[in-house]
Amino acid sequence: MAPRSRPWREAATVLLAAGGGAGGASPRGCDYRVLLLRRSPRSAFMPSAHVFPGGVADAADFSPEWWTVLPGPAPLCGLRPKRGPRAPLFAAERPELGQALPGDLAFRLCAIRETFEEAGLLLLAEPDQAQAAIEAFSSSEGPAPCVLPPERLPLPGPELAEWRRRVQRQPSLFLALCRRLGLVPNIWALSEWSNWLTPRALAGKGGRRYDTAFFLCCLAHAAPEHPHGAHEPDGDGEVTACQWSSPSEAFELFKSQDIWIAPPQFYELCRLGNFSTLHDLHTFGSERALEGCERWMPVVLVASDGQIHILPGDELYPEDPDLTGERKPVLTSNKKIEELMKGVKKLHRMVLRDPRNISVHVNIQQKYKHINPRLLDSKNGNGADCNSKL
Ligand SMILES: CCCCCCCCCCCC(=O)SCCNC(=O)CCNC(=O)[C@H](O)C(C)(C)COP(=O)(O)O
Ligand SMILES: Nc1ncnc2c1ncn2[C@@H]1O[C@H](COP(=O)(O)O)[C@@H](OP(=O)(O)O)[C@H]1O
Ligand SMILES: [Mg+2]
């Protein structure tokens, strides 16, 4: 096999939020829910964890053929250019792929394809509707969230389910499906949210690490109870269950140990905890996305009674973090977590007393107008302790 140019895989994932629908009103006045999928216990990376839909980018996501399908002027097809700095994932040139699509397009296409493969949901739009969304970008209001409701799909469920299996085996068929449906991936409905790089210390089997683009997508319609092309999660596949939960519901399920959520997804759910309406979340996410996006690689500090995952901006974050992990995969201390938290002025870290007890501690000002995580624990018990007053 040809050596990979980077010691990690490039991936995309989407925080998919939808209003109302299945399960009735959410607790504590939150009017939306987020899609969480349970990974197979056989996965080589984060087995049995609950994650957002997503996966590794395929060469097909970078195919210049997409330029013949997507409306709007190439190369960006109407995506708004960013004012702020770009994460390396988006800025990278990929000469090995020939005439490749820019990362902005390719990682959105990857997230949309993976959402279909893993959850059976098609984030597609009619080309006219997409054109209108592109034009709305220039208005001060910003775009209305637009994703095609399930009843508008021109193929019956069983046929879509068959397409889903084919795309899982061969990602390039996603473009063929879009052509067959006369619809386009709704790349304009995805806003850049964040970018996490798995540190070497937390790599999965075979050293699996991921540089993952996190997008936000707010659906205009209610959470679909019956996704397109799949009425049941495929119990034997990569994903073994699908659920829609509000951020605080997900947090409660984590605390009661009904589900396990990895630290980056936990952090992002705590950020969503700031928003009680889909409207506010959508407005914030689509405006903020223009400011820029920083890649975060947590630096793992192993203390005597647990781990601290230090994030950029924290006073303990190294000036020159070891991205490959060849020099120093982890920092170690014989101190206890409590001692390492005392008297700290600039906090941006996650504390893991064990994998089931995660808390976020942050008092820094986020870059690029992003928002700090918020306390989701009403009882202030053993779980998350965001915005800690330490
Ligand atoms: C004593 C104290 C012990 C503490 C132990 C703590 C152990 C904590 C272990 C934490 C492990 C991690 O978080 S490691 C960090 C894990 N999270 C991420 O990297 C964020 C983005 N990843 C994803 O969305 C998916 O994994 C995706 C790449 C799409 C999957 O792709 P596939 O679908 O292609 O598999
Ligand atoms: N039935 C199944 N059970 C467990 N894992 C599966 C699976 N079908 C596919 N996968 C794994 O899911 C990963 C592909 O996910 P995605 O398309 O989201 O990137 C691959 O993992 P590897 O990373 O181990 O190759 C693949 O092996
Ligand atoms: Mg996946």
Side-chain angles (χ1 to χ4, degrees), residues 231-308:
H231 295 273
E232 294 291 324
D234 176 4
D236 207 27
E238 185 194 345
V239 167
T240 57
C242 269
Q243 69 186 60
W244 291 90
S245 308
S246 70
S248 58
E249 282 170 336
F251 178 78
E252 291 300 328
L253 290 168
F254 177 81
K255 223 176 66 170
S256 61
Q257 307 202 352
D258 289 306
I259 67 176
W260 186 74
I261 305 170
Q265 286 80 359
F266 185 92
Y267 185 103
E268 297 304 0
L269 282 166
C270 291
R271 281 220 270 223
L272 296 191
N274 287 291
F275 303 95
S276 55
T277 71
L278 188 65
H279 178 268
D280 290 353
L281 175 61
H282 172 72
T283 308
F284 173 81
S286 52
E287 294 297 319
R288 194 224 62 80
L290 303 179
E291 303 296 326
C293 180
E294 189 181 26
R295 178 167 72 188
W296 286 353
M297 184 190 75
V299 167
V300 177
L301 169 60
V302 178
S304 67
D305 57 348
Q307 291 184 359
I308 303 182

Side-chain angles (χ1 to χ4, degrees), residues 9 40 42-44 54-56 113-114 117-118 208 210 236-238:
R9 298 155 191 232
S40 162
R42 300 196 305 252
S43 289
V56 178
R113 174 182 57 72
E114 290 283 347
E117 288 184 32
E118 298 186 351
R208 278 179 178 70
Y210 300 86
D236 207 27
E238 185 194 345

Side-chain angles (χ1 to χ4, degrees), residues 39 45-46 54-56 198 210 212 214 238 262-265 306-307 352:
R39 293 172 68 81
F45 186 68
M46 299 202 293
V56 178
T198 319
Y210 300 86
T212 308
F214 280 64
E238 185 194 345
Q265 286 80 359
Q307 291 184 359
L352 289 86

Side-chain angles (χ1 to χ4, degrees), residues 120-173:
L121 261 172
L122 281 164
L123 304 176
L124 304 180
E126 275 152 7
D128 296 356
Q129 189 194 12
Q131 192 66 46
I134 294 168
E135 277 151 26
F137 278 156
S138 52
S139 82
S140 56
E141 288 275 295
C146 59
V147 163
L148 203 69
E151 61 278 8
R152 302 265 293 279
L153 283 170
L155 277 184
E159 235 175 281
L160 284 173
E162 182 51 35
W163 272 101
R164 183 182 170 199
R165 283 186 286 273
R166 293 168 65 192
V167 175
Q168 285 168 348
R169 287 193 297 266
Q170 198 180 327
S172 62
L173 291 175

